[in-house]
Amino acid sequence: MSASPSPRPLSVIVTRLRAAGCVFAEDEARLLLAAARTPADLAAMVDRRAAGLPLEHVLGWADFCGLRIAVDPGVFVPRRRTEFLVHQAAALARLAANPAGHSPGRPRAVVVDLCCGSGAVGAALVAALDLIELYATDIDPAAVRCARRNVAPGGQVYEGDLYEPLPAALRGSVDILVANAPYVPTEAVGLLPPEARIHEPRVALDGGEDGLDVLRRVITAAPQWLAPGGYLLVETSERQAPHLVAAAAHHGLIPRVARSDELNATVVIGARPALQSGPRG
Ligand SMILES: C[S@@+](CC[C@H](N)C(=O)[O-])C[C@H]1O[C@@H](n2cnc3c(N)ncnc32)[C@H](O)[C@@H]1O
């Protein structure tokens, strides 16, 4: 049920949101009106948004790849640019599950989503692919609680540092390993918009001195977890990408960069070489 427009008509809410600096005030006002159950609820939501809380935290969900992803306060809000990571991963998952393009291949792609936050990336991959076995990890308990809701039923979410909480049996069998880890350099965190800087946890943003502390660790261990012919995909910035390409090559992966100017998104992809079949005869 949504709140009756009166006593706060749309225009009043739009004016309030615009004054608070919301660029898409009309769209936001409509979403808040649709989400509020009572006029009091609506007033409280408008107050929270005008005070600077991210819209997604006020609504309790974010639109990501056409899905409603639950996002609790204090959990990283999935970004539109990360949809590019999902599209790249989905295309490669189809290839990994069916390498020849016509044989049935392996029945289910094994997908791991490291630093999963709300679980948006994994949930979108589950929605995009028919057969997928999903495992996700995050170090932040609030993110893990949120992700468990978003990838249910079926996806497994573990709390802990990168690969550490994953079942050991997954070693060497992961077809697709995705990570949208923190990659903002420490000194740039203070320059982020207040919605991120104030309302998202530092652990979700701060990637260390050059932003690549977590991603380097992701790449270093990836070859131990990937299946032969499997792929690692990490979101990064255009400027950082060459460093990750070098790191991936150093650890025996075949690297390349995928870029979407439309979404201002950069993804470094590392392929674990497939096993060579032995000499015949
Ligand atoms: C930029 S957010 C991305 C969240 C999600 N992947 C997305 O795209 O919406 C980074 C996430 O990494 C998690 N994180 C940071 N360091 C981690 C670590 N060492 N191990 C596991 N998760 C970590 C944070 O808690 C946060 O949820």
Side-chain angles (χ1 to χ4, degrees):
M1 194 176 76
S2 63
S4 148
S6 63
R8 282 202 168 201
L10 185 71
S11 62
V12 174
I13 300 171
V14 171
T15 305
R16 174 95 191 276
L17 295 181
R18 206 167 272 147
C22 301
V23 178
F24 302 105
E26 291 214 1
D27 294 340
E28 293 197 7
R30 284 203 181 82
L31 286 166
L32 293 173
L33 266 168
R37 279 161 302 185
T38 64
D41 200 13
L42 177 61
M45 290 173 99
V46 172
D47 284 349
R48 288 206 297 278
R49 180 62 186 132
L53 210 70
L55 176 69
E56 293 82 357
H57 286 159
V58 177
L59 293 171
W61 57 270
D63 178 8
F64 184 76
C65 289
L67 303 173
R68 264 193 190 197
I69 300 294
V71 187
D72 294 337
V75 173
F76 183 87
V77 175
R79 306 295 203 263
R80 182 55 43 90
R81 79 163 64 86
T82 304
E83 294 185 357
F84 184 62
L85 175 68
V86 171
H87 297 148
Q88 296 292 312
L92 292 173
R94 290 188 192 103
L95 202 64
N98 190 7
H102 50 76
S103 69
R106 262 190 288 179
R108 285 153 82 88
V110 175
V111 175
V112 168
D113 178 9
L114 296 179
C115 299
C116 68
S118 64
V121 171
L125 286 171
V126 169
L129 300 164
D130 290 341
L131 291 166
I132 147 171
E133 216 173 285
L134 175 70
Y135 303 86
T137 74
D138 201 285
I139 205 161
D140 176 0
V144 168
R145 279 194 297 276
C146 200
R148 285 195 174 129
R149 301 209 305 279
N150 286 316
V151 306
Q156 303 295 317
V157 185
Y158 304 95
E159 182 183 323
D161 181 29
L162 298 183
Y163 301 89
E164 176 268 324
L166 288 172
L170 286 181
R171 279 177 187 271
S173 68
V174 177
D175 296 303
I176 300 292
L177 182 46
V178 283
N180 180 23
Y183 59 86
V184 180
T186 300
E187 68 174 18
V189 171
L191 306 174
L192 291 172
E195 287 185 9
R197 193 166 28 84
I198 299 171
H199 297 286
E200 292 181 324
R202 183 128 193 151
V203 70
L205 306 170
D206 190 344
E209 191 176 346
D210 66 353
L212 297 177
D213 284 2
V214 182
L215 283 173
R216 278 201 201 87
R217 291 173 54 222
V218 168
I219 290 173
T220 300
Q224 299 160 35
W225 293 87
L226 286 173
Y231 297 92
L232 167 71
L233 301 96
V234 299
E235 182 178 302
T236 186
S237 71
E238 213 173 357
R239 191 181 50 77
Q240 292 166 327
H243 301 285
L244 297 181
V245 163
H250 179 76
H251 289 284
L253 301 176
I254 302 165
R256 68 182 170 89
V257 177
R259 168 83 194 155
S260 163
D261 289 332
E262 189 192 340
L263 293 173
N264 188 22
T266 304
V267 170
V268 170
I269 301 172
R272 183 177 164 197
L275 293 178
Q276 302 294 319
S277 45
R280 275 187 250 177

